[in-house]
Amino acid sequence: MQRPKLAVVVKGWPRLSETFIAQELVALEEAGYTLDLWSLRFPTDKKTHPLHDRLKAKVNYLPEYLHQEPLRVAKGVLHAMARRGFWAACGTWLKDLRRDMTRNRVRRFGQACVLARELSGDSDALYAHFMHTPASVARYAAILRQMPWSVSAHAKDIWTSPEWEKREKLQAETFGAAFLATCTGVGAKHLAGLADREDRVELIYHGLDLTRFPAPPATRDTSGPVRFLSVGRLVEKKGFDRLIAALALLPDDLDWRWDHIGGGGSDSRFRDQAVAAGLADRVTWHGACDQPEVIAAMRAADVFVLPSRIAEDGDRDGLPNVLMEAASQKLCLLSTPVSAIPEFIDDGVHGVLSSDAPEALAQAMEILARDPARRATLAEAAYGRLTAHFLMQPGIAKLDERLRGLM
């Protein structure tokens, strides 16, 4: 079956925290797809991953704010008004706007009009990453162009989007997606319950492309301080405030260091918390790093700690790719039983799942710190779990099948 030419809508490109998207798009190109990338935002990260350089697709940037490119937006709207799908798209957007009277909702329609005008004439379908803003832009543009669209949903977009919007993006009668791919079992179950047909939703784990990673270290040096490592943005759902509080509870006789990799808007708050707890000389903040730097840190660490939790607004992780990346280097995993993390880690088998309470985290960290043999056993089991059930290729094959069905 012929593969469609896809216009892929993403929130921003490139982004260091979204290697799963870059990995998938590169894999689709290698499977024979022709892609055009449409980004709603300009890049903000100062670094990129080597994976980003492998993508051959042309990258197009839509107006991030409509007032910045008024002529381009006006041309898009006027061009849209001449299309047969305009009134259906406009009606769908106005219905959404009545329930979400925000500038963002207006911007989504303006970006969709620009996309519909500038989209290559030989594009066969639209494919969005994230169910909220990118999917809205893709949906409006698809109605304007009268072409199929699909979407991949992940974490925040599932748990913080209003139910009416998720439901309507999964119904044929409201111009919903031809299919929705999601990367966790818990997300798939939730979204299938909102769809007009359960088979509109497909569980597709991102998995890991091990060809991008070195073989795991044969041994680890257990002399010197125990090195804890965390990788993730400094946002509430990652739980790093709880982790810092846990570090402060570790016994005085335990020699440890904690390395953090990742950016985020709350950088100073977390640093101040570590200083106030008297931990500044044991903590290293690396900021945003590219993937080779992350892998090097994983190979040098003893325990990978990701204390994910549910934020006040409902935001939460799905199945963080960094857990699989750490497992690829046979690094012992310590996390929490939030969202889809237990789909990868069985507590006590492939790692340790702790409460995000500082006392519980501190206890789990101390036990692992004092038992190198247990760390090695858990790491070996996680590596086996990864290679047996969470490689990238099966997911790409399933996604390929669904995308070819768009034709």
Side-chain angles (χ1 to χ4, degrees), residues 105 108 132 136 161-169:
R105 183 65 60 174
R108 295 183 199 190
H132 47 20
S136 293
S161 295
E163 184 171 312
W164 63 263
E165 184 167 10
K166 291 183 287 190
R167 187 180 298 277
E168 291 183 12
K169 286 175 178 174

Side-chain angles (χ1 to χ4, degrees), residues 16-19 45 49 229-241 243-244 258-267 270 284-289 294 297-298 304-308 317 320-323 325-326:
L16 286 173
S17 61
E18 295 175 359
T19 54
D45 293 325
H49 296 306
L229 172 68
S230 299
V231 179
R233 291 177 299 124
L234 290 168
V235 294
E236 183 184 0
K237 69 178 179 180
K238 298 297 183 181
F240 293 133
D241 55 339
L243 177 54
I244 294 170
W258 179 51
D259 291 87
H260 175 271
I261 291 175
S266 303
D267 181 88
F270 288 97
T284 302
W285 305 94
H286 296 272
C289 294
V294 173
M298 288 177 172
F304 186 84
V305 189
L306 186 67
S308 300
D317 278 326
N321 264 37
V322 288
L323 289 172
E325 292 173 2

Side-chain angles (χ1 to χ4, degrees), residues 55-228:
L55 190 74
K56 300 174 183 176
K58 179 184 177 183
V59 181
N60 308 274
Y61 290 94
L62 292 168
E64 186 165 345
Y65 296 99
L66 303 186
H67 68 269
Q68 293 175 334
E69 299 185 70
L71 182 59
R72 189 179 176 199
V73 174
K75 288 180 178 179
V77 173
L78 290 172
H79 192 268
M81 292 176 68
R83 288 190 170 275
R84 286 189 296 173
F86 175 74
W87 293 112
C90 191
T92 299
W93 169 65
L94 288 173
K95 183 180 177 183
D96 293 345
L97 183 63
R98 284 195 294 269
R99 294 169 291 186
D100 177 30
M101 294 287 289
T102 62
R103 289 184 177 180
N104 185 34
R105 183 65 60 174
V106 175
R107 183 164 61 245
R108 295 183 199 190
F109 191 71
Q111 289 175 320
C113 289
V114 173
L115 174 59
R117 175 178 178 266
E118 298 181 3
L119 195 61
S120 171
D122 60 352
S123 295
D124 297 302
L126 285 153
Y127 174 51
H129 263 285
F130 291 110
M131 195 180 186
H132 47 20
T133 305
S136 293
V137 173
R139 181 184 179 213
Y140 300 146
I143 301 171
L144 285 168
R145 290 286 295 256
Q146 298 184 319
M147 62 194 303
W149 73 283
S150 58
V151 58
S152 184
H154 303 289
K156 180 178 182 178
D157 52 326
I158 298 174
W159 304 113
T160 63
S161 295
E163 184 171 312
W164 63 263
E165 184 167 10
K166 291 183 287 190
R167 187 180 298 277
E168 291 183 12
K169 286 175 178 174
L170 289 168
Q171 309 280 329
E173 65 180 16
T174 50
F175 304 102
F179 75 89
L180 177 145
T182 191
C183 53
T184 67
V186 65
K189 182 178 180 181
H190 170 72
L191 294 170
L194 300 176
D196 54 359
R197 305 188 327 267
E198 286 192 3
D199 65 355
R200 195 179 294 277
V201 176
E202 186 83 56
L203 170 59
I204 301 178
Y205 287 114
H206 294 305
L208 211 62
D209 178 9
L210 282 185
T211 64
R212 296 191 294 109
F213 296 85
T219 59
R220 289 184 185 273
D221 183 3
T222 57
S223 64
V226 175
R227 301 203 70 94
F228 298 107

Side-chain angles (χ1 to χ4, degrees), residues 210 213-222 229 292 294-303 324-332 372 375-377 379-381 383 386:
L210 282 185
F213 296 85
T219 59
R220 289 184 185 273
D221 183 3
T222 57
L229 172 68
V294 173
I295 296 303
M298 288 177 172
R299 294 172 69 84
D302 297 299
V303 182
M324 290 182 278
E325 292 173 2
S328 80
Q329 300 306 300
K330 292 189 179 179
L331 178 57
C332 178
R375 297 199 303 263
T377 299
E380 192 70 41
Y383 184 78
L386 171 69

